[in-house]
């Protein structure tokens, strides 16, 4: 069911510093910062030949990544995003198999303008999983 690894997301305290580190030290192409108010984060994408790294900085007072950064003060890997051909069919299959979808269970528009869902990390070996409509 799952397809390409769309991105690996890393939560950071300072998006400008993290973007500069990827550009200067790793020689990567990094997109400009993009605030996603609905998701409580500002994102920048490190463009790689085969996938992306999504750098996430908290935005606003109740950002969903604030607690993660409290526990991981230096930042850390936050989630993996896999592409699926049909996000509603994927959700129904997962819910039928007992997996928990975060939030109200309906897809939201993600940073790429496509529908996304998040799956509970306790159902996937401690890793938060994002599914994105391909
Ligand atoms: Co993501």
């Amino acid at each position: 069911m799952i397809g390409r690894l769309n991105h690996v997301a890393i939560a950071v305290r300072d998006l400008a510093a993290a973007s500069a580190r990827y550009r200067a030290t790793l020689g990567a192409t990094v997109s400009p910062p993009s605030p996603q108010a609905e998701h409580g984060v500002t994102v920048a994408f490190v463009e790689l030949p085969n996938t992306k790294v999504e750098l996430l900085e908290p935005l606003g007072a109740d950002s969903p990544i604030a607690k993660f950064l409290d526990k991981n003060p230096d930042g850390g890997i936050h989630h993996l995003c896999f592409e699926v051909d049909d996000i509603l069919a994927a959700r129904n299959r997962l819910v039928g198999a007992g997996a928990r979808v975060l939030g109200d269970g309906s897809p939201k528009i993600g940073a790429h303008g496509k529908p996304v869902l998040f799956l509970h990390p306790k159902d996937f070996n401690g890793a938060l999983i994002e599914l994105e409509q391909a």
Side-chain angles (χ1 to χ4, degrees):
M1 179 176 71
I2 58 171
R4 290 178 65 246
L5 174 67
N6 185 278
H7 60 267
V8 176
I10 301 178
V12 303
R13 286 199 182 278
D14 184 337
L15 186 58
S19 297
R21 173 62 60 91
Y22 270 83
R23 275 192 202 102
T25 310
L26 293 172
T29 300
V30 185
S31 72
S34 171
Q36 309 281 321
E38 190 192 343
H39 296 278
V41 292
T42 301
V43 306
F45 284 98
V46 180
E47 305 286 347
L48 302 173
N50 61 338
T51 188
K52 296 182 281 283
V53 174
E54 179 183 62
L55 301 172
L56 297 172
E57 180 187 66
L59 175 64
D62 40 35
S63 170
I65 64 170
K67 272 193 196 129
F68 181 90
L69 283 169
D70 286 344
K71 286 187 209 149
N72 303 276
D74 298 325
I77 294 178
H78 184 262
H79 65 266
L80 304 177
C81 177
F82 300 117
E83 296 178 4
V84 292
D85 287 333
D86 182 337
I87 199 163
L88 292 176
R91 177 200 59 192
N92 294 343
R93 174 172 161 169
L94 284 155
V95 169
R100 287 166 285 182
V101 176
L102 300 188
D104 65 7
S106 43
K108 303 262 185 307
I109 298 302
H112 301 114
K114 294 177 174 176
V116 301
L117 285 174
F118 286 90
L119 305 173
H120 201 296
K122 286 195 173 150
D123 296 333
F124 293 94
N125 309 99
L128 177 62
I129 303 287
E130 178 180 18
L131 298 179
E132 180 177 294
Q133 176 82 47

